[in-house]
């Protein structure tokens, strides 16, 4: 599903589907478009489902578009909702009218992969029930097995506080959506420091990475906050101890990244 993860059905007979998740502006739609292009180049059946009823201009032509069912403008005009309330209403409306989406999905074959490009309102993945309900319906009624891809802006690894906050958001989505998860470091080229990215990926430990970042901060004479350092270390210790998150870099500037993300999500 959009902002989505890719899910592969190892039992056969089901459409492969993935939710691409993450906060607004993290690059979900851009990644979906890149994966769609990758599919066309390599003659793979990769299709994009726009699940954002507030989308204005999309870089791709959606193969399924929730705006055919309902738009945020509809909810705002009819019920007096603001933009955020209108979007939540639309997602709840979709979850209650899944027969529309089920009919659309039925037109795809078992060798096809659907990418669900999801809205950027983070509360949809952290504590509201519309997305979990939608995921259950896809699994039970459409016989689709899902994998969620949660996007984190790669520049967040430059600051432990931002990294920890992004990781906690991803963990919250993981708890809400009971499907396999992959964490993608989007816009990895924007970090501007390939060695830092490689060090993060090679470290294999959030604790060690944050500790090293703090050492760099101390060496540069920046102000430390001992209580925050302890909190970051404790949270990263949980991530390490339970191997909760796996990180995959992605940038549209490297075509191999598309195949890399798809391979991890499978």
């Amino acid at each position: 599903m959009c902002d989505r993860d890719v899910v592969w059905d190892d039992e056969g007979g089901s459409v492969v589907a993935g939710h691409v998740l993450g906060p607004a502006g993290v690059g979900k739609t851009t990644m979906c478009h890149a994966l769609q292009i990758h599919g066309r180049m390599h003659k793979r059946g990769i299709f994009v489902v726009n699940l954002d009823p507030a989308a204005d201009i999309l870089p791709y032509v959606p193969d399924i578009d929730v705006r055919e069912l309902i738009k945020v403008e509809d909810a705002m005009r009819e019920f007096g909702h603001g933009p955020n309330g209108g979007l939540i209403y639309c997602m709840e409306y979709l979850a209650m009218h899944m027969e529309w989406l089920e009919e659309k999905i039925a037109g795809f074959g078992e060798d096809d992969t659907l990418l669900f490009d999801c809205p950027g309102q983070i509360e949809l993945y952290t504590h509201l029930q519309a997305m979990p309900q939608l995921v259950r319906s896809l699994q039970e009624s459409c016989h689709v097995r899902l994998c969620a891809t949660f996007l984190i802006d790669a520049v967040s690894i430059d600051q432990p506080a931002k990294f920890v906050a992004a990781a906690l958001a991803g963990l919250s989505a993981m708890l809400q959506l009971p499907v396999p998860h992959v964490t993608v470091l989007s816009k990895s080229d924007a970090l501007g420091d390939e060695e830092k990215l490689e060090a993060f990926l090679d470290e294999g430990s959030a604790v060690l990475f944050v500790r090293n970042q703090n050492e760099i901060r101390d060496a540069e004479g920046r102000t430390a906050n001992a209580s925050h350092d302890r909190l970051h270390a404790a949270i990263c210790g949980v991530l390490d101890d339970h191997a909760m998150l796996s990180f995959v870099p992605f940038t549209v500037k490297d075509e191999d990244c598309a195949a890399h993300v798809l391979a991890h999500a499978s």
Side-chain angles (χ1 to χ4, degrees):
M1 317 205 143
C2 124
D3 295 2
R4 43 193 165 283
D5 300 348
V6 180
V7 178
W8 305 89
D9 185 353
D10 53 11
E11 297 176 355
S14 299
V15 174
V16 172
H19 280 74
V20 178
L21 314 171
V26 78
K28 300 181 297 294
T29 295
T30 299
M31 190 177 81
C32 289
H33 187 206
L35 295 182
Q36 183 189 57
I37 293 173
H38 175 83
R40 290 173 181 169
M41 290 177 57
H42 296 276
K43 301 186 184 305
R44 294 182 57 180
I46 298 177
F47 304 95
V48 180
V49 181
N50 173 44
L51 280 191
D52 186 354
D56 184 12
I57 300 175
L58 294 171
Y60 57 80
V61 176
D63 299 285
I64 301 175
D65 193 343
V66 71
R67 296 174 298 179
E68 296 176 9
L69 175 69
I70 190 170
K71 298 180 180 179
V72 165
E73 291 85 350
D74 300 333
M76 293 173 64
R77 180 177 59 253
E78 185 169 350
F79 301 105
H81 292 309
N84 195 56
L87 186 140
I88 292 172
Y89 174 87
C90 289
M91 298 309 294
E92 292 175 343
Y93 184 88
L94 172 62
M96 292 187 294
H97 296 81
M98 279 297 295
E99 65 277 1
W100 175 84
L101 186 56
E102 292 167 7
E103 182 177 344
K104 296 285 187 180
I105 291 176
F108 293 89
E110 62 182 69
D111 294 328
D112 293 332
T113 298
L114 299 182
L115 303 177
F116 291 84
D117 188 4
C118 299
Q121 274 68 7
I122 197 68
E123 62 266 33
L124 290 172
Y125 321 117
T126 57
H127 61 276
L128 298 179
Q129 292 304 306
M131 289 302 295
Q133 183 178 342
L134 189 148
V135 166
R136 286 194 297 270
S137 295
L138 287 172
Q139 292 174 315
E140 297 169 4
S141 300
C142 300
H143 307 292
V144 170
R145 295 189 62 186
L146 300 170
C147 170
T149 300
F150 192 90
L151 273 63
I152 292 176
D153 198 319
V155 298
S156 68
I157 70 172
D158 209 21
Q159 298 182 32
K162 291 183 178 180
F163 168 71
V164 168
L168 287 177
L171 286 176
S172 183
M174 182 186 298
L175 294 173
Q176 277 282 92
L177 306 177
V179 296
H181 278 247
V182 174
T183 306
V184 171
L185 294 173
S186 66
K187 310 176 190 176
S188 59
D189 57 303
L191 186 60
D193 189 339
E194 188 172 342
E195 291 184 1
K196 181 174 290 186
L197 177 63
E198 291 179 354
F200 173 80
L201 297 172
D202 292 342
E203 199 75 74
S205 165
V207 168
L208 290 178
F209 178 77
V210 168
R211 184 180 300 155
N212 290 340
Q213 288 299 101
N214 289 339
E215 290 177 355
I216 293 173
R217 174 204 63 201
D218 296 341
E220 294 176 349
R222 288 181 279 150
T223 303
N225 187 314
S227 61
H228 286 182
D229 288 351
R230 290 193 296 270
L231 176 61
H232 296 161
I235 293 173
C236 289
V238 173
L239 297 179
D240 285 349
D241 292 345
H242 298 278
M244 288 180 170
L245 299 178
S246 58
F247 298 94
V248 181
F250 177 80
T251 170
V252 294
K253 295 183 178 180
D254 186 348
E255 212 278 325
D256 290 341
C257 286
H260 199 207
V261 168
L262 289 168
H264 275 79
S266 65

